[in-house]
C-alpha cells in the first residue's frame, strides 16, 4: 500500500454549518464532511456497500477491524480462540453500552448474526456459519459447518445490533427488525449502535448530522470530533470547490481531474492510496442471446481499451485490470493483462455470426464511482467500433441500485471491493450461479453461471492450506478471464482531501471507510 501526502494550511468556512446553533459551533469540534453520496439507509444490513460500511464504523463497532496493513485489531471482541476446526470462541468487551442505554451482551451478537443470515446482501457471506451461541454475557461461540479459513474476516463485518431496541413491532405493526430493500422500515429510520457517533438528523440525499456518543466505550481513542455534518455533493467540481473555499473540512472522493489542483493548493492536504475496488461491466446472458456465446463476450472484452480509459479518463489514477483480484489477493494471476485488440474483437464477432453487430441497452451510475458516467460513455463508443449500438442511460446512485437489482439493462456497470479482503468474495457475489435462497450471485447482473467454478470456490473456502487455496482461486480467475464472464476495466485508486488541521492520514485505509471515531482536528 502506497501513501502519498502533501501537507499545506487550512481555511475554515461556515457555509455548510448553518444548521448548527452558534453556541454549539463555538463549543464543539465539528467536522464538515462532503461525500459524493450519503448512506441509502440507517439499516446497516439493508445493503452491502461502501456508504453503509462507513455508517457502520461511525455508529456501530465491529467485533474486530482491519488495521491499515490488513491485520486484525480487537474491538468489541477482546480475545478469540480456535477451539477446534469448526469452533471459535470470542470474549466480548465488558461494560459497552448501546446508544439506547442497553448493555452489549453475547445475545446481541448471536441475534445480529441471525439477522445477517437473512439479509439478501449479507447472507451469502455468512452462509458458512452454522450457529452462534451465547455461552454467557461476554462469551460467544461461532460454529461453522466445515473448516472455514475466513471466520475472522467475517468478524470485521459483524457490528452487533441492539437486539432489545430492534425487537417488537413498530406503530404499523411491522417487525422492527424487518429488512426492507430500498423501502421504509423501523430499522431504516432508527439506529442504536455502540459506535462513537449517534445520528441526530438524516435528510436523505441532503444532509446527515452526527453527535459524539457521550458514553462511548473507547476512552483510549484519540478522536476529538464532537459533531459531524455530512453533506452529499455528487458533482465532483462542486465538492472540490467546497473544500478549497473552506466551506467543508474533508471530502471524498477527490476526482482524478482535480488531483493536481488539490495537491497544489496551499490550504489543504491530499492523501492518496492504491485501491482494490474493481470497476467492470456485466453482460446479461438472459436478456441478450448473443451474450450466451463466449466468443461474443470475448469480443466485447477485446473491444474495450482499459489502458486508454485509465490514462485518459482516470488521468492515470487507476490500474487497468484483466481480472477481479488485485495484486496481493490470493487469487491474483500475474500473467493476466488487458487484451485490447480491435481486430481480434471484430474477428470474434464475425466467427459468432454477429459481424453486423446488434443493439443493446446499458446502464451506469453517474455519482457512485470516479468518472462512472464518462467511463460508460467511452465503453459505448468503443463497442460501436464492432457494430454494437448502445442505448446508454446513467442514473444517480440512489436510483441506480433499484434498477441494478431489477437487472434493467443488458450491460450494467458496478464496482466491487471484496468485503472479506479475499478473492473468493468476488465470485460468490458477482459471477456465481444466482441462487436467491443462498444469496449466491446476489450481484450477478450478467447471469453468468459455471457450476464447476462454484464448486471450486466452495472447496477453496474449506481449504486451510493457504497455498493450495490460492492455486484454486487463481484457477477461478483464469477461467473467468478465458470465458469473458465480465468486462473488467480497472482498479480504482483512492483519494481523500482535507483542511491541513484535520489529520486524516492515520484513519484512512484501503477498504475506504475512514475510522472517523479516531479522527483528530488540531487547533489552528
Amino acid at each position: 500500500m502506497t501513501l502519498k501526502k502533501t501537507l499545506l494550511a487550512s481555511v475554515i468556512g461556515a457555509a455548510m454549518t448553518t444548521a448548527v446553533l452558534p453556541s454549539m459551533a463555538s463549543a464543539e469540534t465539528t467536522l464538515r464532511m462532503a461525500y459524493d453520496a450519503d448512506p441509502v439507509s440507517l439499516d446497516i444490513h439493508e445493503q452491502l456497500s461502501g456508504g453503509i460500511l462507513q455508517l457502520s464504523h461511525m455508529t456501530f463497532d465491529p467485533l474486530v477491524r482491519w488495521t491499515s496493513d490488513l491485520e486484525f485489531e480487537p474491538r468489541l471482541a477482546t480475545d478469540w480462540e480456535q477451539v477446534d476446526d469448526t469452533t471459535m470462541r470470542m470474549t466480548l468487551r465488558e461494560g459497552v453500552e448501546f446508544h439506547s442505554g442497553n448493555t452489549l451482551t453475547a445475545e446481541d451478537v448471536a441475534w445480529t448474526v441471525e439477522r445477517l443470515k437473512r439479509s439478501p446482501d449479507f447472507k451469502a457471506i455468512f452462509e458458512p456459519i452454522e450457529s452462534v451461541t451465547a455461552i454467557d454475557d461476554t462469551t460467544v461461540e461461532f460454529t461453522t459447518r466445515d473448516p472455514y479459513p475466513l471466520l475472522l474476516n467475517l468478524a470485521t463485518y459483524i457490528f452487533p445490533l441492539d437486539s432489545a431496541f430492534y425487537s417488537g413491532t413498530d406503530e404499523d405493526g411491522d417487525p422492527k427488525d424487518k429488512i426492507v430493500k430500498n423501502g421504509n422500515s423501523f430499522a431504516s429510520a432508527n439506529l442504536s449502535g455502540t459506535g462513537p457517533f449517534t445520528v441526530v438528523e438524516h435528510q436523505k440525499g441532503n444532509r446527515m448530522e452526527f453527535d459524539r456518543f457521550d458514553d462511548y466505550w473507547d476512552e483510549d481513542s484519540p478522536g476529538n470530533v464532537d459533531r459531524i455534518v455530512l453533506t452529499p455533493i455528487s458533482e465532483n467540481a462542486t465538492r472540490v470547490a467546497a473544500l478549497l473555499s473552506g466551506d467543508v473540512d474533508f471530502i471524498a472522493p477527490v476526482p482524478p481531474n482535480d488531483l493536481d489542483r488539490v495537491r497544489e493548493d496551499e490550504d489543504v492536504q491530499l492523501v492518496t492510496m492504491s485501491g482494490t475496488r474493481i470497476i467492470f461491466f456485466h453482460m446479461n446472458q438472459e436478456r441478450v442471446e448473443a451474450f450466451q456465446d463466449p466468443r461474443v463476450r470475448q469480443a466485447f472484452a477485446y473491444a474495450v481499451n482499459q489502458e486508454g480509459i485509465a490514462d485518459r479518463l482516470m488521468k492515470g489514477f487507476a490500474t487497468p485490470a484483466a481480472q477481479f483480484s488485485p495484486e496481493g489477493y490470493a487469487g491474483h494471476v500475474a500473467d493476466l493483462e488487458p487484451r485490447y485488440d480491435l481486430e481480434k474483437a471484430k474477428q470474434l464477432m464475425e466467427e459468432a455470426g454477429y459481424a453486423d453487430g446488434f443493439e443493446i441497452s446499458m446502464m451506469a451510475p453517474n455519482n457512485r464511482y470516479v468518472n462512472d458516467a464518462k467511463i460508460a460513455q467511452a465503453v459505448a463508443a468503443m463497442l460501436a467500433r464492432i457494430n454494437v449500438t448502445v442505448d446508454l442511460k446513467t442514473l444517480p446512485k440512489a436510483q441506480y441500485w433499484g434498477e441494478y437489482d431489477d437487472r434493467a439493462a443488458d450491460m450494467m456497470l458496478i464496482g466491487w471491493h471484496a468485503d472479506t479482503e479475499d478473492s473468493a468474495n468476488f465470485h460468490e457475489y458477482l459471477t456465481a450461479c444466482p441462487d436467491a435462497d443462498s444469496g449466491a450471485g446476489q450481484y450477478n447482473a450478467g447471469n453468468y453461471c459455471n457450476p464447476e467454478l462454484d464448486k471450486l470456490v466452495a472447496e477453496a473456502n474449506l481449504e486451510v492450506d493457504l497455498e493450495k487455496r490460492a492455486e484454486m482461486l487463481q484457477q477461478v480467475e483464469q477461467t473467468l478471464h478465458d470465458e469473458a464472464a465480465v468486462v473488467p476495466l480497472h482498479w480504482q485508486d483512492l483519494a481523500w482531501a482535507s483542511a491541513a488541521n484535520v489529520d486524516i492520514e492515520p484513519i484512512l485505509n484501503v477498504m475506504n471507510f475512514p475510522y472517523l471515531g479516531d479522527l483528530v482536528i488540531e487547533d489552528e
Side-chain angles (χ1 to χ4, degrees), residues 21 191 219 248 350 442 452 467 470 481:
L21 297 176
L191 184 152
E219 297 179 353
V248 298
E350 184 174 355
Q442 173 73 19
E452 291 302 315
E467 287 190 10
H481 175 272

Side-chain angles (χ1 to χ4, degrees), residues 3 13 29 47 57 110 132 171 196-197 202 268 296 305 354 356 360 364 407 412 417 421 445 450-451 455 458 499:
L3 288 175
T29 300
Q47 183 183 87
H57 281 281
V132 183
E171 58 186 14
F197 298 102
H202 186 200
V268 298
V296 172
N305 185 353
Y354 293 100
D356 295 332
I360 61 168
R407 311 295 190 251
M412 304 198 81
H417 167 261
E421 303 302 328
N450 184 332
K455 180 180 178 182

